[in-house]
Amino acid sequence: MGMDRRCFLACLANASLLAAAPGAWAGSKQSVSGTPDLELELRASPDQVVIFPGKPTRVWRYQAKVLHGDKNAVASLPDSHLGPIIRVQRGQHVRVHFINALPQPSLVHWHGLIVPEAADGHPRYVIGPGQKYTYDFEVRNRAGTYWFHPHPHGHTGEQVYAGLAGLFIVHDDEEQALGLPNDAQDVALVLQDRRFDRDNQLLYLGSMMDRMMGFVGDTILVNGRPDYVLNAERRAYRLRLLNGSNSRIYKLAWQDGSPIMVIGTDGGLLERPVTRPYLTLAPAERVELWLDLSLLAAGERLRLLSLPFETASIGMMGGMGMMGGGTRGGSSFEVLSVQVGRGAAQPARPPAKLSAMAPARAEQAANHRSPRTVWTTMAPMRLGLNGRVFEMTEVADDEVVHLGTTEVWRLVNEASMGMMGGMPHPIHIHGVQFRILKRSVHPAAESAWLGISQGHVDEGWKDTVLLMPGERVDVLIRFDGYPGLFLYHCHNLEHEDMGMMRNYLVKA
Ligand code: C2O
Ligand code: CU
Ligand code: CU
């Protein structure tokens, strides 16, 4: 699968890196004291699973066990090598002892959670094979669907690709008072695309072009399985979707043309449900859907499709895979289907109001007249942010913010639009949840943009925002988490691994 040679190189590269970063061995410095509410052991190791008939597939997977606290806090994602699902209550103190049983350096990032610097999975805290690291944090986030994955610099893409992705679901009182669908009606669905060889083994990057554009596979997996069917009853469901793909963007739509009802995004529930004709889901984004199957006939099959769309790019992006996700001339493909049961329908209504949410206004930020601007940049074969690439501990003067302040960041994706039409970049910021204030698009990219922009859901809390080619997005960020060095980067994992990532410093 081509992973072994890269691992060998990575192990060499990281040996020197580890020597230079003794802090990596010390564990969390800002650890919460006292006995945690939940204490887990989380182990990453190679394994083999049966995905297709014939030979099992070599994967990497996380497995967790509860050492202290609620035994039901960890559940496996049914019939999957992905996961597990960790469920906690807001306010709980969580301690995770990570064991790296992989042949490569690794570490865990808690995507979307606001945690101290030493628990955030910054690549400088990478640990070698056979090492342990303890993550210690209090769950400050709102109820929502967060996730965790590796973050070793230069190797995040291949490790997530190999199967390392789990869910971290937070509940809180406000959410629980709503009585949303739960238990078997609360379903997590991780969307990924993959390529396999004839022996059922995963194939990762083939060419430099894969790396520049991001990996796109020809087989869609949901929770690690092809041709995914959700067997469901005729009642309401809460579907938690995570785009766990390395670079594929989905334009999701129900095949019967019914609108998609969205109740939550990256940072939890929206103020009220919204509907969209289709939904844009970029890598790392999450969305929570309300799906009322009581409206469907007994025995019906409902399909979730991904529709073709243009990315305003030309020439070079053609032939990126037969399902064309995001290329011109691509076609629709099925992501999953829902098999509706034959029992009596149990109608339900979504709550009219889901969550209290203060309006977000640019004026809340001191810098709203001159936002801090992050340009995606593309020197030949070198993607960056403001013309820079990742350096392990480097922070530029214009990458320093102050704890407790609120800023507008203007994210601009106009890199090389003339030359290549540009590329989409899902931009993710660690250490915060932010609000989206506004979007605009360069006139040259408008026609392609109109084919996908109706699918953005910008009403709620976000940690990742898709920037289509030509797009600029203003986000409102309050830095009220923790001081220290945090990351912002493109969550196209091939872009991230190439260095389209930077540190920013939160000064106390
Ligand atoms: Cu989900 Cu820095 O990443
Ligand atoms: Cu993250
Ligand atoms: Cu990118």
Side-chain angles (χ1 to χ4, degrees), residues 109 111 147 149 151 284 428 430 487 489 491 493 496 501:
H109 168 55
H111 183 121
W147 66 300
H149 61 78
H151 220 301
H428 169 49
H430 284 219
L487 299 166
H489 61 86
H491 219 290
L493 295 181
E496 173 183 335
M501 173 160 80

Side-chain angles (χ1 to χ4, degrees), residues 56 145 152 198 338 343 349 367 391 449 478:
T145 310
R198 287 205 201 113
V338 181
R349 272 167 186 277
N367 73 340
E391 304 275 359
W449 181 77
R478 184 161 169 79

Side-chain angles (χ1 to χ4, degrees), residues 94-153:
V94 177
R95 186 174 293 161
V96 180
H97 304 284
F98 172 60
I99 301 172
N100 179 7
L102 302 169
Q104 258 193 16
S106 194
L107 77 169
V108 185
H109 168 55
W110 309 93
H111 183 121
L113 293 182
I114 294 164
V115 299
E117 167 180 45
D120 192 52
H122 186 285
R124 75 189 185 283
Y125 291 106
V126 74
I127 58 165
Q131 302 290 325
K132 294 185 190 185
Y133 188 91
T134 298
Y135 298 88
D136 219 315
F137 55 90
E138 187 194 314
V139 179
R140 292 174 55 162
N141 288 66
R142 307 167 74 232
T145 310
Y146 306 91
W147 66 300
F148 56 97
H149 61 78
H151 220 301
H153 183 48

